[in-house]
Amino acid sequence: MTASGSLTVVGLGPGDPQWLTPAASAALAAATDLVGYRSYLDRVPATPGQQRHGFGNRSELDRARLALDLAAQGRQVVVVSGGDPGVFAMAAAVFEAVEHGPPAWRELDIRVEPGVTAMLAAAARVGAPLGNDFCAISLSDNLKPWATIEQRLRAAAAADFVIALYNPASMARPHQLEDALQIVAEMRDPDTPVIFARAVGRPNERIKVERLGEAGSVIADMATIVVIGATTTRRIARGGGAVPYVYTPRSSGTRC
Amino acid sequence: MTASGSLTVVGLGPGDPQWLTPAASAALAAATDLVGYRSYLDRVPATPGQQRHGFGNRSELDRARLALDLAAQGRQVVVVSGGDPGVFAMAAAVFEAVEHGPPAWRELDIRVEPGVTAMLAAAARVGAPLGNDFCAISLSDNLKPWATIEQRLRAAAAADFVIALYNPASMARPHQLEDALQIVAEMRDPDTPVIFARAVGRPNERIKVERLGEAGSVIADMATIVVIGATTTRRIARGGGAVPYVYTPRSSGTRC
């Protein structure tokens, strides 16, 4: 092992390159090796001499182990992730690989560069729906039982958190988002605003604000973030067919 | 009202200018007027001809109303906030002012620029503690009853969310963080890692990882973010007195 190797986990943000921090850009440009999901690597500007190690959609732990192995050989490695790498993304996979890997991996210089996670960009597009206490839940159940997800949805709804849903649906589980919305709908008014933000910051971005009572039929995919308002979340109508503003007041109960 | 006025809410990120997105920097540089808490304005590089409207620590709604008023007069206004402006920050105050203000304010061009919120930077410093479902709770009770905060803490602990605490303590309420940790400690192992991240990204940054059983005595202030691990959150010891890595595996229950 060469002591000078390093591994940095970088998220590309939700999509718009103008949301990538200078620290993340600098890490990407300084890397000798980029490791990541192929479609993320395609979004990184080319740097001469840099090696790229592209992977498929699954295989997070394989990516992490290759990256650690390269860093242990003295390379300056960046693991390329989406959004913020610490939120339902590659950073946890890297540390999982470290914990269960050779002891030398623990002594590597491993860093995580924070970034703009998708729910923040989705929220910004409509106003400030995350303006009071909120939670983030991944609906992907290939890593945890659906019963755990259900329990968290019920707890979050009962305690009146704004709820951000990541990975809301895939072809393998088309009905889970509908089920999740139904659980929350048992405890919240049908008029509660629900934001569907698809591909935020990319050319095909699409933002909708629906009522919870009718949100079950909206089509979502893995590129969509869904934000369900709390009981205090407000909608401000605007003229000219514009998407309404949605915000959650900082205070609970009282109006200013 | 001049139609060409605009209002953009920008967060400065947790502290390191390298975490400020290019989109946020561009908005700050293009503004004719900056409105914000004085110590945030002091962190923004000077732009010739730009007017600055500094405020004290409270007065969020006054700041928002002045900014809206200036935008309605045709100015290009940026409201300067900390972190991500949508998370326990100025964006919600702006939309609260819009809802209760003159109808013309609804037709203004109002944008929110997403940013890196403090919990993401705090998490990145120690690994990936937010790698699975998590929630964010502000402990400040000048805007909501403490009973609401307690209820959310209990719900989040029972449903095994990682819990990020914003505004954990101030001189006016020194015991609330201790009370909050006690509530979670009733449902989680005393060995659960608790991260205290103060002034992340600034020269006086200080990061500690404590055990939940002993975390109550740690001093925190308004510049501190506290992240309480879930039951699945893991600590990876390192040599040489380094802060351990902390991460929450993407999967619940099973180890890889």
Side-chain angles (χ1 to χ4, degrees), chain A residues 27-43:
Chain A
L28 289 165
T32 60
D33 295 78
L34 300 184
V35 177
Y37 174 38
R38 254 178 232 104
S39 75
Y40 290 143
L41 293 185
D42 290 345
R43 284 164 52 190

Side-chain angles (χ1 to χ4, degrees), chain B residues 191-204:
Chain B
D191 269 335
T192 304
V194 181
I195 298 141
F196 291 80
R198 188 175 186 285
V200 183
R202 279 175 272 169
N204 55 339

Side-chain angles (χ1 to χ4, degrees), chain A residues 18-20 22-23 86 99 113 115 120 130 132-138 143-144 152 159-160 234 245 247 251-252, chain B residues 18-20 22-23 86 99 113 115 120 130 132-138 143-144 152 159-160 234 247 251-252:
Chain A
Q18 292 298 305
W19 289 336
L20 186 65
E99 185 179 14
E113 266 306 329
L120 301 181
L130 304 177
N132 208 319
D133 303 332
F134 63 91
C135 65
I137 300 175
S138 169
L143 291 163
K144 64 191 166 201
R152 289 180 183 161
D160 207 13
R234 313 273 302 163
Y245 292 129
Y247 81 101
S251 58
S252 292
Chain B
Q18 292 298 305
W19 289 336
L20 187 65
E99 185 179 13
E113 265 306 329
L120 301 181
L130 303 178
N132 208 319
D133 302 332
F134 63 92
C135 65
I137 299 175
S138 169
L143 291 162
K144 63 192 166 200
R152 288 180 184 163
D160 207 13
R234 313 274 303 163
Y247 80 101
S251 57
S252 294

Side-chain angles (χ1 to χ4, degrees), chain A residues 184-185 187-193 211-213 231:
Chain A
V184 180
M187 285 180 266
R188 290 196 189 160
D189 193 279
D191 268 335
T192 304
R211 296 172 64 245
L212 179 56
T231 62

Side-chain angles (χ1 to χ4, degrees), chain A residues 185-203:
Chain A
E186 288 164 17
M187 285 180 266
R188 290 196 189 160
D189 193 279
D191 268 335
T192 304
V194 181
I195 298 140
F196 291 80
R198 189 175 185 283
V200 183
R202 278 176 272 168

